[in-house]
């Protein structure tokens, strides 16, 4: 009767990329996770076609969430958390995948080195301010997880301070979940060799020199420390309501496709519906024609 | 040699849609401005083709602004102000035109009825907070101009209060211009008949019922008052550094094309360039290969 008000089906049928990429409980060794595999996809050409088909579906799901969150008491909102080593493609993923959404309903925050004001607050303060309102989509480009990775690798706070943060993060994410936040936490997993290739490409292209920071080379020296810090994150902060997904990100076409699928599956599972306000259609039409 | 670092040329060659739509000095009578004309365009098909060609150009210009604003002392940033009657297409313009930009560098704010906190501040307070940082693009969906239109039409503050706001707005916009804001103020101009058609369409489509507000019908009764309020805005708040553009918006294809051209012309005139940091390329390459 009114197909637009029914459940949204994904092109190519239902998929379970979430199931394929979700971190299982227990010990995590990132060395066991390939960076150049492509679980769930049927190769590059099929992935590009599928992503193209997903774009209007993503926008449609977003519009329903927006309508529901802005016109009904439904407080749910999707929050995408992107973490990964330098050059892992966080910015590229936002440009190519998040770009499918209507920008009016998306709140993107890129977390840099904390400002003096941010440092005067609890580390979760600035992240809480970046959460979207009901029906909007939030994107965190880096996040509170910097406070247990870069902070740990460089001893920016005493160990007893960062060690208690895993529990604080779990409690806070749980509280936000109870308030309607649907977490989608994605670790873009690249190899050290792929990072080297991408840094060299930046040097070869004058239009990308502005992205180059000498500090990135220093950070490469801490590669193994970062991998260990992320392993702890993936182990300790993957409760059922906000699990981590490890996305093999050496191949950009796969990264974009898998992220689009993760978003689509998550939004479709929220099953957003257009509100159906009680309008007296004939009276309204009559008034408009007067 | 390095074409990417040179000036960006617009597809189809330079255009001057800004010149065609800019409000001239003097008395403004909106009745003299057609709502269904298409100045500067060569018809619907050509407009769609041109807009498609403009999308990567807009994204490229934005990236240069972003690089310049985030990596150099250049403080310039474009701020698009969208005003118009209900149904004039502000949301549609953002979805279809602003969607061409990388969402990470765009800050969009939709102004609703002021909150209790906003009302405790000067009317410009909430707008100042919505301005983007250097190199980013700001979009104001409604703006401080609500404070001299809806406020005036409905007598929400005493006349002596809203009457002095025109000068306050001009002074404030001037101050922000001096700090690097490039204003692009666009009035989406539709006819009362076109608004009626769009409201009726919303009633005919269940997936659009959530957008329908009975108050929109009440507001239609104040059409002439709003037109007069906007005429004063266009007359009194169009100084050389932040003029208004009146965009005939009855045809959506023209609205989207003209707005894309206005944005492209404005960004191209800023002539943003990629920063050229002083990198020791061979030393960096050697370090990366080690």
């Amino acid at each position: 009767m009114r197909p637009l008000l029914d459940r949204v089906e994904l092109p190519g049928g239902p998929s379970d990329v979430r199931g394929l990429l979700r971190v299982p409980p227990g010990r995590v060794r990132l060395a066991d996770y390939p960076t150049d595999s492509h679980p769930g996809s049927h190769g590059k050409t099929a992935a590009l076609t599928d992503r193209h088909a997903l774009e209007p579906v993503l926008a449609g799901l977003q519009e329903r969430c927006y309508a529901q969150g802005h016109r009904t008491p439904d407080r749910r909102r999707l929050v995408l958390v992107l973490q990964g080593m330098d050059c892992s493609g966080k910015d590229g993923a936002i440009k190519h995948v998040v770009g499918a959404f209507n920008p009016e309903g998306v709140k993107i925050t890129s977390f840099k080195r904390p400002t003096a004001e941010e440092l005067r607050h609890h580390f979760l303060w600035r992240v809480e301010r970046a959460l979207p309102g009901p029906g909007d989509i939030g994107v965190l480009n880096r996040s509170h997880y910097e406070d247990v990775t870069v902070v740990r690798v460089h001893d920016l706070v005493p160990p007893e301070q960062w060690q208690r943060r895993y529990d604080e993060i779990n409690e806070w994410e749980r509280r936000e979940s109870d308030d309607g936040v649907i977490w989608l936490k994605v670790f873009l997993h690249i190899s050290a060799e792929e990072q080297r290739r991408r840094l060299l490409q930046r040097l070869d292209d004058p239009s990308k020199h502005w992205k180059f920071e000498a500090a990135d080379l220093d950070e490469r020296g801490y590669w193994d420390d970062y991998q260990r810090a992320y392993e702890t994150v993936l182990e300790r902060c993957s409760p059922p309501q906000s699990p981590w997904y490890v996305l093999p990100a050496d191949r950009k076409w796969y990264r974009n496709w898998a992220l689009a699928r993760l978003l689509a599956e998550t939004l479709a599972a929220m099953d957003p519906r257009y509100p159906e306000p009680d309008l007296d259609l004939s009276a309204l039409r009559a008034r408009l024609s007067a």
Side-chain angles (χ1 to χ4, degrees), chain A residues 119-220:
Chain A
L119 285 172
R120 290 172 60 86
H121 292 271
H122 187 270
F123 77 97
L124 290 169
W125 178 78
R126 64 175 185 161
V127 194
E128 180 139 20
R129 290 157 62 96
L131 296 183
D136 291 345
I137 292 176
V139 178
L140 310 186
N141 183 351
R142 303 185 185 272
S143 67
H144 43 304
Y145 287 101
E146 295 293 306
D147 296 285
V148 283
T149 50
V150 62
V151 163
R152 165 174 162 173
V153 167
H154 291 294
D155 295 317
L156 300 182
V157 305
E160 60 273 21
Q161 200 172 333
W162 60 255
Q163 275 161 2
R164 67 167 176 258
R165 288 183 175 174
Y166 301 101
D167 288 337
E168 290 179 344
I169 287 173
N170 287 337
E171 282 161 22
W172 176 71
E173 289 184 1
R174 173 57 182 262
R175 206 166 69 223
E176 296 297 338
S177 291
D178 290 344
D179 189 47
V181 169
I182 313 286
W183 295 101
L184 179 61
K185 304 190 299 190
V186 179
F187 176 67
L188 299 179
H189 185 34
I190 59 168
S191 66
E193 181 52 31
E194 179 63 19
Q195 187 194 57
R196 182 206 313 275
R197 267 194 295 271
R198 292 183 185 181
L199 286 169
L200 283 170
Q201 278 169 2
R202 285 190 186 171
L203 292 178
D204 291 341
D205 181 349
S207 80
K208 290 186 174 162
H209 283 179
W210 66 276
K211 294 186 184 179
F212 203 93
E213 307 219 43
D216 293 350
L217 291 198
D218 301 332
E219 287 298 277
R220 264 178 75 75

Side-chain angles (χ1 to χ4, degrees), chain A residues 53-70:
Chain A
L54 273 173
E55 286 190 352
V57 178
L58 286 168
L61 284 162
Q62 175 202 16
E63 186 175 85
R64 289 159 172 248
C65 285
Y66 183 95
Q68 204 165 250
H70 285 254

Side-chain angles (χ1 to χ4, degrees), chain A residues 40-81:
Chain A
S41 89
H42 301 287
K44 183 171 178 178
T45 308
L48 292 174
T49 307
D50 189 52
R51 189 154 72 81
H52 188 69
L54 273 173
E55 286 190 352
V57 178
L58 286 168
L61 284 162
Q62 175 202 16
E63 186 175 85
R64 289 159 172 248
C65 285
Y66 183 95
Q68 204 165 250
H70 285 254
R71 290 286 188 279
T72 79
D74 194 312
R75 294 184 58 77
R76 289 178 303 159
R77 61 268 203 206
L78 175 66
V79 177
L80 170 66
V81 175

Side-chain angles (χ1 to χ4, degrees), chain A residues 31-43:
Chain A
D32 297 339
Y33 285 75
T35 56
D36 62 351
S37 60
H38 42 94
S41 89
H42 301 287

